[in-house]
Amino acid sequence: MTAPTIDLNADAGESFGRWTLGDDDALFQHITTANIACGYHAGDPATMRSSLIRARNAGIAAGAHPGYPDLLGFGRRALPATDSDVVDYILYQVGALAGFAAAEEVPLTHVKPHGALMGRICRSPGLAVTVARALQSVLPGAPLMFAPTEALRAVVEAGLPVIPENAADLGFDQDGINIVEPVPQAKAPATVADRALEMARGTVRTVEGTVIPMPVRSVCVHGDRPNAVTVAKAVRRRLEAAGFVVRAA
C-alpha cells in the first residue's frame, strides 16, 4: 500500500531592506515548499533573489506569493481594487520573481496569493478562473495554490491547474477560509500539528465547532509567526509519525 503524501508550505522572503522578518534558513529545513513574497506586501529585489537561492540550496520547491500593494498593512488589509487591478498586481509580481528565478535557474512551481488577496480570490470564482488563466501566459502549467472553495472548483472545471491548500496555524470560518490575524501570535506547536494532521486526512473543525471537508494537498504554516520554526518542525514530525510522506505537491 502506497503511503499518503502531503506538502508542507510556508510563506517566506518577507524581509525588506534592513528589516528582517522570520528565520527562513531554519524554516526551510522543515518545509517542502516556499511561497516567496514579490515586493508588494513584503520583500524586495535582493530578498527575492536570496530567497530563491535559499530554497534551491535547501532542496525545496519555490513559488510566487503575490499580495496587495500594502507594505504598511503587510497585505492583510482588503484594499479597493477591480478584478482587472488584481490580475495586473499578480502578473506584475509573478513576472518579477520569474525573472530572478530564471537568472538563478530555479523553477517556479506555483503561485499562492497572500493575505487579503487570497481571501478575495477564495470568495470570487470568476476572478479565480481569470487569475488562473492569466498565469498560464507567464508560467505555463503553474498551478494556482489556494483554499478548497467554490472558487477552486470553478478553476478545476475550467481545466486549469490548482493545488488545494490551507493554513493549519489559523482558524477557519464556515466556508473553510482562514481567518486572518492582523498581528500573528505564537501558537502551541502541538495544537497546530494536530490540526495539520486533521487537514491532511481531509477535514477540519471551524471556529464554530463544525467539522467540514478540507481536501488539501498542501498544508501551510506562516513564516512570520514568532515561533514559526518550532511550529513547522512539530507539524512535519506529526505528519510523518502518522505515516504521511511530506514532499512538494
Side-chain angles (χ1 to χ4, degrees):
M1 181 176 175
T2 303
T5 63
I6 192 72
D7 177 38
L8 179 56
N9 80 82
D11 306 338
E14 294 178 323
S15 299
F16 185 84
R18 296 173 64 185
W19 179 70
T20 300
L21 181 65
D23 184 350
D24 287 353
D25 284 328
L27 184 65
F28 286 6
Q29 301 307 306
H30 305 292
I31 64 173
T32 47
T33 295
N35 316 305
I36 298 174
C38 304
Y40 262 21
H41 78 278
D44 57 35
T47 302
M48 291 160 68
R49 183 192 289 272
S50 65
S51 297
L52 289 165
I53 294 170
R54 286 186 172 96
R56 182 187 65 203
N57 291 346
I60 64 175
H65 194 40
Y68 278 127
D70 181 28
L71 286 173
L72 288 178
F74 201 70
R76 288 180 171 142
R77 302 182 294 187
L79 300 186
T82 66
D83 284 2
S84 178
D85 289 336
V86 168
V87 173
D88 288 348
Y89 293 161
I90 291 173
L91 292 185
Y92 180 89
Q93 293 173 84
V94 172
L97 189 67
F100 288 118
E104 296 298 337
E105 299 183 338
V106 177
L108 293 183
T109 59
H110 65 285
V111 175
K112 176 186 169 182
H114 167 81
L117 184 58
M118 166 74 90
R120 167 87 174 263
I121 289 172
C122 285
R123 293 180 171 87
S124 308
L127 176 58
V129 171
T130 300
V131 168
R133 183 171 287 124
L135 286 176
Q136 299 311 303
S137 65
V138 180
L139 294 176
L144 185 62
M145 177 186 279
F146 68 118
T149 55
E150 290 296 331
L152 186 138
R153 285 185 279 276
V155 174
V156 171
E157 290 171 2
L160 296 162
V162 295
I163 297 174
E165 75 92 47
N166 234 326
D169 58 350
L170 290 173
F172 289 84
D173 66 18
Q174 289 299 108
D175 294 322
I177 298 174
N178 281 139
I179 299 171
V180 175
E181 289 177 320
V183 180
Q185 304 296 320
K187 292 289 181 73
T191 300
V192 178
D194 287 345
R195 183 180 293 138
L197 179 58
E198 182 184 10
M199 293 167 62
R201 289 172 169 167
T203 65
V204 77
R205 187 176 297 274
T206 71
V207 293
E208 296 183 5
T210 306
V211 175
I212 61 173
M214 187 52 59
V216 296
R217 288 169 46 206
S218 185
V219 173
C220 171
V221 294
H222 286 87
D224 64 328
R225 193 168 299 289
N227 61 337
V229 175
T230 303
V231 168
K233 183 178 181 179
V235 168
R236 181 153 189 172
R237 283 184 172 178
R238 186 79 171 89
L239 292 169
E240 291 178 338
F244 281 84
V245 174
V246 181
R247 67 185 185 196

